[in-house]
Amino acid sequence: MRADARRNHDRLVGEARRSFAEHGTDASLEDIARRAGVGIGTLYRHFPNRDALMNAVFQDALRSLLDRSRELAAAEAPCRALVEWLGAIVTHAGEYRGLAHALMSASRDGTSALVQCHLPLREAGAGLLSRAQESGSVRADVSIDDLLQLTNAIALAAEESPDDPELADRLLRLTLRGLK
């Protein structure tokens, strides 16, 4: 990428991160481009659609979640490690209004650019779930796809109830009791 194109890309990602945090993932792409000092055509040359821009914005958080899954992979209490990691996903999804819904949709849409976020998370979670199942602390019929959908649903419920900051933790604990 040319230096000016790299600068435009970086400004767009930075402005999208700020806009998504402030206005949610449905923030105006035109406003993001304007605030980044470029035209909407430049935004679309770098990111052909909203999901591609969201994917670029969430790469740092994705790396953090994947790093955390590797740290937890050897934990002495596999079920607790899985719960901690799922809680981290709920926390991340809660940082941007609309992210939980987008991730839920991406899990069913193999063409979405957000699949680049979903697939590595799915793989990381599958390893943690497998360890928890092998230890006997999680039922064998639980799938990582179900867990990720439940986790995103919990984040979505918490997003819809901002006056109850403990809701996500309560729902996650309640859900996980059913896994044992």
Side-chain angles (χ1 to χ4, degrees):
M1 202 180 281
R2 294 183 338 246
D4 61 331
R6 168 55 54 198
R7 282 191 301 274
N8 288 342
H9 178 276
D10 292 347
R11 283 197 315 266
L12 284 164
V13 170
E15 190 52 51
R17 182 175 288 115
R18 283 186 288 282
S19 291
F20 290 165
E22 184 177 339
H23 304 290
T25 58
D26 60 350
S28 165
L29 297 182
E30 289 83 6
D31 285 347
I32 290 169
R34 184 179 44 75
R35 290 178 183 170
V38 301
I40 191 67
T42 299
L43 183 144
Y44 281 116
R45 274 192 298 281
H46 287 280
F47 308 102
N49 54 48
R50 182 177 301 275
D51 284 357
L53 181 57
M54 289 170 57
N55 179 54
V57 166
F58 302 135
Q59 286 304 303
D60 288 339
L62 175 63
R63 277 189 292 279
S64 176
L65 288 167
L66 294 176
D67 289 347
R68 189 65 185 133
S69 74
R70 284 188 286 276
E71 292 168 7
L72 292 168
E76 287 185 33
C79 186
R80 192 170 328 155
L82 176 63
V83 170
E84 182 179 328
W85 188 74
L86 292 172
I89 291 176
V90 170
T91 298
H92 165 62
E95 292 175 10
Y96 300 95
R97 192 177 69 251
L99 177 57
H101 182 266
L103 290 173
M104 288 176 81
S105 297
S107 70
R108 296 182 312 275
D109 179 3
T111 64
S112 169
L114 284 175
V115 167
Q116 294 175 5
C117 289
H118 176 73
L119 291 178
L121 285 177
R122 184 184 185 286
E123 185 178 318
L128 293 171
L129 173 60
S130 179
R131 283 197 68 236
Q133 288 170 323
E134 289 167 8
S135 76
S137 55
V138 173
R139 296 178 2 197
D141 64 340
V142 174
S143 77
I144 190 58
D145 293 322
D146 290 345
L147 276 182
L148 290 174
Q149 286 291 69
L150 281 169
T151 302
N152 285 320
I154 289 168
L156 186 57
E159 177 182 307
E160 294 296 320
S161 301
D163 57 322
D164 186 356
E166 304 300 318
L167 179 63
D169 287 337
R170 283 196 322 272
L171 290 176
L172 187 57
R173 284 193 311 271
L174 179 64
T175 300
L176 294 172
R177 282 187 202 123
L179 299 177
K180 295 182 177 186

